[in-house]
Amino acid sequence: MVVQGTTDSCTTPSDSFSSFLTTTFPNEYKTPTPPRLQALYSDVYRQKQSNPEGFQSSIGWWTNTLETVVRKGKQPQPQSNDHLVLHASDKLAEALRWEKVGRPIGLGAVLEELAANKTIIALPKFLKSAVSIHYQPSLTYRVASFVRWANYKGDYVVLSILKQAADTIIARQKSKPPGFTESLYTRQSFQAEFESVALKGATLSQLDVDVVLKYLERDVRVVIVQKNAVKFVEPGDAEAIAEGITEVDFGVLEMKTTLQELADQISEIEHQIQERLDKIGEHLRRGSKNIALTYLRSKKQLEELLAKRLNTQETFQTVLNKIESVATEVENPLLQQESIDATMERMADVLADHKEIEDAISLGNDLVASSAGVPDVDDDELKDELEMLIGEQKKEKEEEKGRVRLEEKGKAEEKERARGGGREEEEGEGGRGDFESGRGRGSTGVGRGASPARDGSSQRLGEAV
């Protein structure tokens, strides 16, 4: 590709980005380059006074183009994973460079206009401002004949995409069964829950999640964010917002987090048990009984550990269900809080021993450390189980041999039937040939015998005479 225009340390646009522009905006990005793209890449700010309609048309095109680039995750690396934030950098300007046109020299003017009409908001200001974006005055800029690009390089939140993502998250949360515990998340569980559903065909980055949480908290007022906790509330519920996230909320959230970690660990232990079973079978087939016995011992320890984790999981789930029941069944808020507090106090022994909880959610060094506290398995018991596994394996082998013999017998019978059918067909063809031949001979015999018959008749007539 021939590239004209100013040069700098940035590279020319990648083929994939060029292909994206050509496919998404075929009327502007095509060969030969149309005058329309040349006008869009020029200093559009000059049109603001001389040609207001043309200026608004150019701004509308750039708005759609930049929003599409951000939404589709097509920004130059390493910011391509962000779907709510526009990174206006030299890399972006260089990626937009086009053959025989160069870089868009009016991009600074475009960003100025988009910021002025609140299509985009500078990221630092968005994250730090205590005032809702709905109440911030529109920005005004002095009229200038040329807007310097360097003055507007930076990161910007794209509000149209942000609002769409926020609306989708709110709708998904509302679709969940109503409940006290369903409204609570950690930042990590919030991201895991909503990152892949907020925008169709995209996964929100960590920065995107920070942006959408700020918007939901400050501007829409449907969540409360404290420390690492996130709580959904009814829109604009001033009392709930003023109360914030309570100690009960934090306790419930800790239990939810522990339950999730326990579920992950249980899944991993079950996977490890299956791996031990596979290894046992593999070494028994090789005749390595001692190695198989070692894996069997490990499997039994893992099963003991699994039983403990399942018991812990059941305990936490029971308490969590009790809290949910109290929160939904008790109408008086004071009684509700007292009931929840009482339930939490009954759970104090479980929550107090953080070391035991952490031990319950940590496998550690391939589960070697996790065997601590698990009773050793009796050798005789292990040997008995090993012999049982050997017997099962032998039985499986015999059953497999039986299946193979049946299959082979079936195939042989099928072949025999096929051969028999062929012979019958050949014999049938031969029989039909003999029949036809015999019929021909029979016809001939009748013909030859006609005269003697007639002669015989004449002879009998003569004798009669």
Side-chain angles (χ1 to χ4, degrees):
M1 176 181 292
V2 178
V3 181
Q4 296 183 355
T6 60
T7 60
D8 53 30
S9 60
C10 297
T11 59
T12 58
S14 66
D15 291 340
S16 61
F17 189 78
S18 298
S19 176
F20 165 74
L21 293 176
T22 304
T23 303
T24 311
F25 308 101
N27 294 330
E28 289 79 16
Y29 292 99
K30 61 183 179 181
T31 302
T33 304
R36 167 70 170 158
L37 187 64
Q38 294 176 345
L40 290 167
Y41 271 48
S42 65
D43 182 14
V44 296
Y45 203 86
R46 296 179 183 275
Q47 301 175 343
K48 189 167 187 177
Q49 301 300 322
S50 61
N51 183 10
E53 291 184 2
F55 174 75
Q56 291 303 322
S57 176
S58 296
I59 294 299
W61 183 87
W62 275 111
T63 300
N64 179 56
T65 299
L66 294 175
E67 285 181 354
T68 303
V69 168
V70 175
R71 184 192 303 271
K72 298 289 186 181
K74 296 298 182 179
Q75 297 185 83
Q77 293 287 356
Q79 289 91 11
S80 61
N81 293 329
D82 296 331
H83 298 274
L84 304 182
V85 179
L86 169 66
H87 300 281
S89 63
D90 285 329
K91 285 185 177 181
L92 176 64
E94 190 64 27
L96 290 166
R97 181 190 291 276
W98 205 252
E99 183 179 2
K100 296 182 180 179
V101 180
R103 289 178 18 162
I105 63 174
L107 200 54
V110 171
L111 294 175
E112 180 189 66
E113 186 66 19
L114 296 183
N117 60 31
K118 295 172 69 172
T119 299
I120 59 176
I121 296 179
L123 178 64
K125 180 179 181 179
F126 178 89
L127 293 176
K128 293 177 182 178
S129 177
V131 180
S132 170
I133 59 172
H134 301 307
Y135 303 116
Q136 293 177 5
S138 299
L139 302 176
T140 57
Y141 295 91
R142 63 182 178 83
V143 177
S145 60
F146 183 77
V147 177
R148 290 181 58 83
W149 158 244
N151 293 342
Y152 292 94
K153 287 194 295 184
D155 301 325
Y156 298 86
V157 176
V158 183
L159 291 185
S160 62
I161 311 176
L162 170 60
K163 290 176 181 178
Q164 180 185 350
D167 289 344
T168 304
I169 290 172
I170 293 170
R172 182 176 179 86
Q173 179 64 25
K174 286 183 177 179
S175 70
K176 291 189 168 189
F180 168 64
T181 61
E182 288 291 336
S183 66
L184 294 167
Y185 297 88
T186 63
R187 281 180 172 268
Q188 293 76 17
S189 63
F190 179 92
Q191 181 166 354
E193 178 71 25
F194 299 109
E195 64 180 356
S196 298
V197 299
L199 293 174
K200 185 177 180 179
T203 301
L204 299 187
S205 67
Q206 181 62 63
L207 178 59
D208 292 332
V209 172
D210 292 341
V211 167
V212 79
L213 275 175
K214 174 60 71 174
Y215 179 75
L216 291 172
E217 179 187 27
R218 179 192 59 207
D219 304 306
V220 188
R221 304 184 74 198
V222 294
V223 302
I224 306 168
V225 181
Q226 286 180 223
K227 299 178 182 177
N228 194 43
V230 178
K231 180 180 180 180
F232 276 89
V233 296
E234 290 299 316
D237 187 340
E239 184 177 348
I241 292 172
E243 182 183 34
I245 299 180
T246 67
E247 289 302 317
V248 172
D249 294 332
F250 280 114
V252 170
L253 193 55
E254 184 176 356
M255 280 192 288
K256 285 187 67 176
T257 302
T258 301
L259 274 170
Q260 183 58 54
E261 291 171 337
L262 280 168
D264 293 341
Q265 189 204 13
I266 287 169
S267 178
E268 175 63 20
I269 293 174
E270 290 172 339
H271 174 71
Q272 294 277 351
I273 290 172
Q274 185 58 51
E275 282 191 345
R276 300 301 189 274
L277 278 171
D278 294 341
K279 288 290 185 181
I280 291 168
E282 177 186 337
H283 286 286
L284 285 178
R285 286 190 293 272
R286 294 178 180 178
S288 305
K289 290 179 63 175
N290 289 336
I291 299 177
L293 190 63
T294 301
Y295 279 109
L296 181 58
R297 185 186 300 277
S298 175
K299 169 183 163 292
K300 296 293 288 185
Q301 290 176 338
L302 286 167
E303 287 172 343
E304 294 283 350
L305 183 63
L306 178 62
K308 290 178 64 178
R309 298 303 179 260
L310 288 171
N311 183 61
T312 304
Q313 183 187 49
E314 183 180 2
T315 301
F316 273 80
Q317 190 62 60
T318 300
V319 175
L320 199 61
N321 291 342
K322 176 64 176 176
I323 292 174
E324 181 67 59
S325 175
V326 170
T328 54
E329 292 178 5
V330 181
E331 294 184 0
N332 187 310
L334 180 59
L335 292 177
Q336 181 187 79
Q337 186 67 44
E338 290 176 351
S339 299
I340 292 176
D341 288 343
T343 304
M344 292 297 293
E345 287 177 6
R346 288 194 296 272
M347 194 62 189
D349 291 339
V350 180
L351 291 174
D353 194 350
H354 292 285
K355 184 179 183 300
E356 181 177 346
I357 294 172
E358 290 175 2
D359 177 65
I361 59 175
S362 175
L363 290 174
N365 296 330
D366 295 330
L367 294 172
V368 173
S370 66
S371 62
V374 178
D376 197 10
V377 184
D378 182 78
D379 286 344
D380 291 336
E381 181 183 343
L382 283 175
K383 290 177 181 178
D384 290 342
E385 184 170 349
L386 186 63
E387 290 302 323
M388 183 186 68
L389 290 172
I390 293 172
E392 289 178 355
Q393 194 175 66
K394 287 180 179 179
K395 183 179 177 182
E396 289 176 0
K397 285 182 179 179
E398 291 301 321
E399 290 176 351
E400 181 63 25
K401 287 179 181 179
R403 284 193 295 270
V404 171
R405 283 195 295 269
L406 286 174
E407 288 177 2
E408 290 176 348
K409 183 179 178 182
K411 290 177 181 178
E413 290 175 350
E414 184 66 29
K415 288 181 180 178
E416 187 61 31
R417 283 194 295 271
R419 290 197 203 98
R423 285 196 298 270
E424 289 173 2
E425 186 175 348
E426 289 174 3
E427 292 172 358
E429 291 292 337
R432 283 194 295 273
D434 293 343
F435 173 76
E436 294 295 339
S437 176
R439 188 172 60 180
R441 289 193 299 272
S443 299
T444 304
V446 170
R448 285 193 300 268
S451 296
R454 285 193 297 269
D455 293 345
S457 299
S458 300
Q459 184 177 3
R460 286 191 295 270
L461 286 170
E463 291 175 352
V465 174

